[in-house]
Amino acid sequence: MMRRNPSIEAEGEEEEDRDMDWNPSIGVETLRIPPGVGTLEGFRRWTSSECFPDHGRIDFLAGELEIDMSPENLYKHGGPKTALSAALYSQVDRTGRGAVYIDCTRIVSVDADLSVEPDVVAVLWDSLESGRVVRVPAADGEPDSFIELEGAPDLVVEVISDSSLGKDRRRLPPLYAKAGVPELWLVDARTKRGKGIELRIHVLGPNGYVLAPPDAAGWCESPFLGRRCRLRRHSERDLGYTYQLELRRRPPGPSRLRSPGTRGNRT
């Protein structure tokens, strides 16, 4: 099954397979999809080929293609994504614990039949050293050239847009859980001026994700960061919004939530 916008045209399965040696016709009207992408293996061949589009987001979710070629909303998507990336970079990259990636970083899980490009991804060096996450090299064999991360990254962030609402809230979380991603953040900044925004932290448990309940002030706990988190939005002179991820240390005592592989109280 394929989920797509009306402006996307799929090639028929009966069309002769041209070994993906053509350039895609990507524009206002048409995105061409080659035959054979109905399996994870076939989809991965497409994503690593020269004819895979450079724009938009195309995900493979357990046999379904999710395609979104719509532009990114500046304040409801790009702003919060940038703020979260900056805060996570400070807590992960700059502390030497791992790396944070934004946009077009493809995550693949064979167990979950999944290939996606989340908004933000964080991977600890421990996860790479243990083999829980594996870097997939590019076909050209160039040193230090990788095209995918296979396995379960330590944190995935998805910023919800109108076009991705069903995917982000319903279809992706069970697949991320099956892939073994310890922590999933869902952010919804689509509310109107003066309304609140949502940061919902989901921690993997034995039966799927468990929501880290926010308190009345909007603070919720992230086992990955070892912090309580709150996403705030500020209006700038009626010209737009800026966002900030606020962090607080957890109060003394055992945490109510621990994700698989959490190594003590991270700082």
Side-chain angles (χ1 to χ4, degrees):
M1 181 177 179
M2 186 182 307
R3 301 178 188 272
R4 59 189 187 275
N5 293 335
S7 61
I8 297 169
E9 174 185 315
E11 293 291 293
E13 290 295 332
E14 70 279 5
E15 181 175 339
E16 182 181 357
D17 189 348
R18 291 168 290 182
D19 295 327
M20 302 181 190
D21 58 352
W22 43 268
N23 290 326
S25 174
I26 301 175
V28 176
E29 297 298 330
T30 302
L31 165 65
R32 292 191 175 182
I33 302 170
V37 299
T39 65
L40 181 60
E41 181 181 359
F43 182 78
R44 294 179 78 177
R45 286 198 301 268
W46 185 31
T47 61
S48 62
S49 69
E50 293 182 358
C51 69
F52 192 75
D54 295 326
H55 306 287
R57 175 167 169 176
I58 306 178
D59 294 336
F60 182 92
L61 279 61
E64 295 183 359
L65 292 187
E66 286 276 356
I67 301 174
D68 188 353
M69 308 299 287
S70 58
E72 182 174 279
N73 188 290
L74 185 63
Y75 295 122
K76 298 179 182 180
H77 199 281
K81 179 174 63 177
T82 301
L84 291 165
S85 302
L88 289 169
Y89 179 87
S90 176
Q91 293 292 313
V92 179
D93 280 73
R94 296 192 64 181
T95 58
R97 298 171 58 221
V100 174
Y101 305 97
I102 182 171
D103 283 339
C104 299
T105 300
R106 186 158 292 278
I107 305 300
V108 174
S109 170
V110 176
D111 292 339
D113 202 22
L114 182 68
S115 175
V116 293
E117 292 182 340
D119 287 307
V120 188
V121 178
V123 180
L124 299 181
W125 301 131
D126 287 352
S127 297
L128 287 168
E129 290 175 355
S130 69
R132 191 164 68 87
V133 179
V134 177
R135 297 170 296 179
V136 178
D140 58 16
E142 182 180 347
D144 296 324
S145 180
F146 304 97
I147 59 170
E148 293 176 345
L149 292 172
E150 184 174 321
D154 296 273
L155 173 67
V156 165
V157 179
E158 294 285 5
V159 181
I160 296 170
S161 60
D162 290 338
S163 58
S164 71
L165 178 62
K167 178 182 72 170
D168 291 339
R169 287 200 183 275
R170 295 192 300 272
R171 292 188 287 278
L172 271 178
L175 293 174
Y176 280 139
K178 189 174 181 180
V181 176
E183 195 163 313
L184 170 65
W185 292 13
L186 295 181
V187 177
D188 193 343
R190 298 175 301 144
T191 53
K192 296 180 180 179
R193 186 181 300 272
K195 301 291 185 178
I197 56 177
E198 287 186 358
L199 166 62
R200 295 293 181 260
I201 295 178
H202 303 263
V203 180
L204 187 61
N207 300 311
Y209 285 117
V210 177
L211 178 66
D215 63 18
W219 293 94
C220 46
E221 184 177 326
S222 166
F224 173 73
L225 292 179
R227 295 285 191 274
R228 292 174 61 77
C229 309
R230 182 172 67 174
L231 184 62
R232 300 290 293 235
R233 180 171 65 186
H234 308 282
S235 178
E236 297 294 336
R237 298 178 296 170
D238 292 327
L239 298 175
Y241 299 123
T242 59
Y243 293 83
Q244 179 185 8
L245 181 67
E246 299 178 336
L247 301 175
R248 284 183 177 176
R249 290 188 178 274
R250 289 194 307 228
S255 171
R256 292 181 297 169
L257 295 167
R258 288 180 64 88
S259 59
T262 301
R263 301 171 183 87
N265 186 5
R266 296 189 174 113
T267 58

